[in-house]
Amino acid sequence: MKLYNTLTRQKEEFIPIEEGKVKMYVCGPTVYNYFHIGNARPFIMFDTLRRYLEYRGYEVTYVQNFTDVDDKIINKANEEGITSQEVADKYIKEYFVDADALGIKRATVHPRVTENINEIIEFIKDLESKGIAYEVNGDVYFDTKKFDDYGKLSKQNIEELELGARIEVSEKKNNPMDFVLWKSKKEGEPGWDSPWGEGRPGWHIECSVMASRYLGETIDIHAGGQDLTFPHHENEIAQSEAKSGKPFARYWIHNGYININNEKMSKSKGNFFTVRDISKEFDLEVVRFFMLSAHYKNPVNFSDEMLKQSESGLERLYNAKDRLEFLIQNGNGSLKEEEKQLKEKLNEFKQKFIENMDDDLNTADAISVIFELVRFINTNIDENSSLEIAQSAYEMFKELTGVLNIVNKVKNNIIDEEIEKMIEQRQIAKKEKNFKLADEIRDKLKEMGIILEDTRQGVKWRRI
Ligand SMILES: Nc1ncnc2c1ncn2[C@@H]1O[C@H](COP(=O)(O)OP(=O)(O)OP(=O)(O)O)[C@@H](O)[C@H]1O
Ligand SMILES: [Zn+2]
């Protein structure tokens, strides 16, 4: 598989450190609100990368953190008169409600900053003992001048960066590009004891610490939104590599933005839709399908209209699934001579799907292949086909949609029973020559998207 690596600015063949295993870290949410559609993009896309790697036989250890200590969380806690921990606990719970509905698999570990304070302190102490970190009145800074490779991810050199940077009045650092590792406690903030007095970790240090704690000093894939490239990921590299002397992550993968009117959707701009709000209008599988319909690096303009298009696209896939289930329920016989070629052709769709996914996770083209497969099935497999070919088509459809984790809702049996009952009533009406009632029932079923077919074996039904 090829992946676009921000570190080298090119698509590269993915080769894991340890054969058959992938160690992957994704920067998770800061938990002070429901997450928005923009935040959902990395969660969905990197979940898909993980699922695809697993499909290809890798054992993936996937770590996604929760930032549960942060200015925004503290502000929210103070506004609401509750503790930071209460704010974080609430939104971590809500994160899982939405993530589950988006079909995002739970990470192997979902570490929180507050569970890693000792590890963070030890990490900073190590940097300090190596002379790479320095303390000023209870704050500890990373000395960027001591790390030669600073700027290698965002391809900026430190002198240029310094020209654009300013030191805030509240900061006491030596150089403009130095960044905080530990902040001394201020009034109304949570704090932990440390060699530098009571305080809390800066933002960047948490990911270096959690990645090394759960995955080791060098990991395979580090991922996040494009906005994290600088300074967050640049600083993660500086911290981790200065401490270990080894490369931190081999592949850096960044997703593009979800925009509103060509502007990045973000909480601070107020131009956002939370996934929770969208869930009131759409099944969240539609949002997953919408995300997968674009390549993860391309910018995407979000609109209600786009979601509606995704909804009808997904509906077409469900119809194809229902049709195949109908054919399987009613089919019989093994592969006919003339179907052998069809079966081979089914495998070609799988090959094309894999080719696209192997090309830097091109889910957009992979979905087009699934639609081609559906068209192929609809034109070549019907009531006259053998059960075996219908089953093979169904298995292929399930395999490819399964990799993307879409179209996996099971049919609602209660609804099926209701439909069967209405069909029975219609049969009785016909027998009693009450054609008006029979037609009414048929029309009502049609409104529900159910098509009746009179066959020699009796009345059969399918969804449109
Ligand atoms: N509009 C967007 N499109 C794509 N990814 C985004 C967008 N906004 C944020 N992200 C990503 O969402 C993930 C979660 O980050 P986090 O919870 O810190 O959100 P954030 O960056 O604070 O959001 P905001 O920019 O709205 O304040 C990060 O990987 C971030 O890069
Ligand atoms: Zn991070």
Side-chain angles (χ1 to χ4, degrees), residues 296-312:
Y296 74 90
K297 287 195 81 65
N298 289 343
V300 167
N301 254 321
F302 174 79
S303 69
D304 212 46
E305 200 43 51
M306 301 267 297
L307 276 190
K308 287 199 177 115
Q309 275 174 27
S310 297
E311 191 173 41
S312 59

Side-chain angles (χ1 to χ4, degrees), residues 353-379:
F353 177 89
I354 289 177
E355 264 168 42
N356 284 310
M357 293 293 278
D358 271 354
D359 183 13
D360 195 24
L361 201 77
N362 193 340
T363 52
D365 287 356
I367 284 180
S368 302
V369 174
I370 294 178
F371 278 110
E372 280 171 34
L373 170 70
V374 164
R375 273 194 297 276
F376 175 79
I377 292 171
N378 286 347
T379 38

Side-chain angles (χ1 to χ4, degrees), residues 428-444:
I428 295 168
K430 268 169 83 175
K431 256 194 208 132
E432 292 170 351
K433 303 220 181 317
N434 186 350
F435 296 113
K436 192 168 164 270
L437 179 62
D439 285 351
E440 271 170 20
I441 295 173
R442 193 197 51 214
D443 291 347
K444 186 146 185 243

Side-chain angles (χ1 to χ4, degrees), residues 345-353 369 372-373 376:
K345 186 88 180 131
L346 287 175
N347 260 312
E348 284 175 27
F349 289 101
K350 174 170 162 175
Q351 292 317 319
K352 269 171 89 178
F353 177 89
V369 174
E372 280 171 34
L373 170 70
F376 175 79

Side-chain angles (χ1 to χ4, degrees), residues 286-409:
V286 172
V287 173
R288 184 178 182 93
F289 185 73
F290 162 78
M291 289 298 174
L292 295 170
S293 303
H295 187 267
Y296 74 90
K297 287 195 81 65
N298 289 343
V300 167
N301 254 321
F302 174 79
S303 69
D304 212 46
E305 200 43 51
M306 301 267 297
L307 276 190
K308 287 199 177 115
Q309 275 174 27
S310 297
E311 191 173 41
S312 59
L314 194 57
E315 187 68 34
R316 269 159 58 211
L317 297 185
Y318 269 102
N319 290 341
K321 175 170 169 262
D322 285 350
R323 182 173 175 273
L324 282 170
E325 282 171 357
F326 171 83
L327 292 175
I328 288 169
Q329 260 173 33
N330 299 285
N332 54 56
S334 49
L335 204 66
K336 299 177 194 167
E337 193 54 39
E338 67 269 23
E339 290 175 341
K340 286 201 172 129
Q341 240 188 331
L342 293 184
K343 198 165 172 181
E344 270 166 37
K345 186 88 180 131
L346 287 175
N347 260 312
E348 284 175 27
F349 289 101
K350 174 170 162 175
Q351 292 317 319
K352 269 171 89 178
F353 177 89
I354 289 177
E355 264 168 42
N356 284 310
M357 293 293 278
D358 271 354
D359 183 13
D360 195 24
L361 201 77
N362 193 340
T363 52
D365 287 356
I367 284 180
S368 302
V369 174
I370 294 178
F371 278 110
E372 280 171 34
L373 170 70
V374 164
R375 273 194 297 276
F376 175 79
I377 292 171
N378 286 347
T379 38
N380 292 290
I381 299 173
D382 58 24
E383 287 88 342
N384 303 313
S385 306
S386 68
L387 173 62
E388 193 176 332
I389 191 74
Q391 252 160 354
S392 300
Y394 185 65
E395 273 158 29
M396 186 56 70
F397 178 83
K398 291 285 285 175
E399 181 172 334
L400 304 191
T401 52
V403 175
L404 303 178
N405 196 25
I406 52 171
V407 206
N408 51 15
K409 300 237 162 75

Side-chain angles (χ1 to χ4, degrees), residues 42-258:
F43 306 151
I44 294 169
M45 298 315 294
F46 302 130
D47 170 70
T48 306
L49 176 56
R50 171 209 195 162
R51 285 174 183 275
Y52 183 64
L53 290 167
E54 286 174 345
Y55 172 68
R56 297 306 301 275
Y58 291 105
E59 187 190 309
V60 183
T61 311
Y62 193 90
V63 179
Q64 185 182 293
N65 66 304
F66 285 116
T67 302
D68 63 349
V69 187
D70 174 85
D71 288 347
K72 295 173 209 162
I73 301 174
I74 295 169
N75 290 342
K76 180 101 172 187
N78 291 342
E79 270 167 32
E80 298 196 355
I82 53 177
T83 64
S84 292
Q85 215 45 51
E86 283 167 327
V87 171
D89 285 347
K90 172 174 169 25
Y91 288 107
I92 288 173
K93 225 170 109 215
E94 302 295 1
Y95 166 86
F96 284 121
V97 171
D98 292 335
D100 289 351
L102 288 167
I104 297 165
K105 194 167 164 177
R106 301 275 168 125
T108 317
V109 197
H110 277 285
R112 304 180 190 194
V113 180
T114 51
E115 295 164 353
N116 284 274
I117 300 291
N118 286 337
E119 287 73 14
I120 290 174
I121 291 172
E122 288 307 312
F123 199 112
I124 301 173
K125 270 166 68 181
D126 193 3
L127 287 175
E128 198 181 26
S129 71
K130 289 187 162 82
I132 302 162
Y134 58 91
E135 187 213 337
V136 188
N137 303 335
D139 292 335
V140 183
Y141 292 97
F142 185 96
D143 189 345
T144 44
K145 286 256 166 24
K146 298 267 170 65
F147 183 66
D148 289 344
D149 279 343
Y150 195 77
K152 74 172 170 183
L153 181 68
S154 52
K155 306 274 177 274
Q156 293 165 288
N157 78 43
I158 195 156
E159 286 75 27
E160 278 164 18
L161 284 168
E162 278 180 355
L163 284 176
R166 259 191 222 135
I167 301 184
E168 304 268 328
V169 189
S170 61
E171 294 177 310
K172 294 148 280 187
K173 57 193 181 184
N174 297 346
N175 289 300
M177 289 323 294
D178 294 354
F179 56 90
V180 72
L181 299 167
W182 187 263
K183 296 177 181 182
S184 58
K185 181 177 149 79
K186 313 212 169 34
E187 187 62 34
E189 289 184 0
W192 288 264
D193 283 334
S194 81
W196 318 284
E198 227 186 328
R200 62 182 166 109
W203 172 32
H204 316 296
I205 191 69
E206 64 181 77
C207 291
S208 285
V209 170
M210 293 188 238
S212 67
R213 177 170 181 191
Y214 297 100
L215 297 169
E217 285 175 332
T218 302
I219 66 174
D220 292 296
I221 299 174
H222 195 312
Q226 174 190 317
D227 53 334
L228 300 186
T229 312
F230 186 85
H232 184 55
H233 289 161
E234 196 71 73
N235 292 351
E236 280 189 40
I237 291 177
Q239 295 160 160
S240 297
E241 298 192 357
K243 178 170 182 292
S244 74
K246 297 177 190 152
F248 176 36
R250 310 220 312 183
Y251 301 85
W252 285 88
I253 317 289
H254 292 101
N255 64 274
Y257 294 142
I258 298 292

